[in-house]
Amino acid sequence: RSLMVGVADMRFAPDLPLDRAMVATIVHRIAGAPDATGTNMPFRDVPAGAYYAQPVLWAYYAGVVNGCGADTFCPTQAISRQDLTVILYRYACLAGIADAAQSENVLSGFADADAVSDYARAALAWAVENGLLQGNEAGNLMLSQPVTRQQLAAVLYRFAKLEGQT
């Protein structure tokens, strides 16, 4: 579906951690690359000519991403499993694939369930219920672990099943 491209010619870099700019760009592609022209960039650290400028702009005004500060996006910051899940969930709600009412009981089976941030509880419950995220052998969701490109590719494959596109 051309959601992910290589980091260079003939190089995918599967173990490279995803950054916030990459995630905004991929979600923008999932949405069909809607136009964000005419809206003002709220983040001073997103240059107008950057490959991710339009995706960040669209994702912010669509309610899919937030900044990491009042006027910063932190585009090169690695994204955690928890924050990636929140972004995918917000997009899924926007697209009508998910709703905001999620049972959080499904999280209780994970050893690190108490570490889930309040803002991420519904998103993580949705992701676990729908098979997007799974715990490791120790029963942890690994919330703060950075997501690699190969891990996101697996999550996107599962996400496409929710959209009915596999």
Side-chain angles (χ1 to χ4, degrees):
R1 294 183 50 203
S2 300
L3 299 179
M4 298 179 76
V5 296
V7 297
D9 286 344
M10 305 301 291
R11 184 167 175 254
F12 183 73
D15 295 321
L16 182 72
L18 280 169
D19 61 36
R20 292 171 48 83
M22 289 177 191
V23 172
T25 301
I26 291 167
V27 173
H28 183 244
R29 290 174 183 155
I30 292 170
D35 191 18
T37 305
T39 51
N40 294 324
M41 176 59 72
F43 306 118
R44 61 180 164 79
D45 60 349
V46 176
Y51 78 88
Y52 53 85
Q54 285 296 304
V56 167
L57 193 59
W58 169 81
Y60 175 76
Y61 283 106
V64 175
V65 300
N66 293 329
C68 60
D71 65 349
T72 55
F73 183 70
C74 303
T76 60
Q77 178 181 316
I79 195 158
S80 68
R81 288 170 57 96
Q82 178 171 261
D83 288 346
L84 170 68
T85 303
V86 169
I87 291 170
L88 289 175
Y89 176 66
R90 287 178 183 157
Y91 172 72
C93 288
L94 179 71
I97 300 166
D99 60 45
Q102 296 297 315
S103 169
E104 297 173 15
N105 293 338
V106 66
L107 298 178
S108 65
F110 294 96
D112 55 353
D114 290 341
V116 175
S117 298
D118 287 343
Y119 72 90
R121 294 193 75 73
L124 285 160
W126 167 79
V128 168
E129 280 182 2
N130 287 286
L132 297 179
L133 282 187
Q134 302 157 355
N136 65 8
E137 307 80 42
N140 291 301
L141 286 168
M142 304 160 294
L143 303 166
S144 61
Q145 179 181 349
V147 179
T148 64
R149 290 172 53 84
Q150 67 183 333
Q151 290 168 333
L152 179 63
V155 169
L156 290 175
Y157 177 76
R158 295 178 199 128
F159 187 82
K161 287 183 180 181
L162 293 178
E163 289 185 304
Q165 297 196 19
T166 56

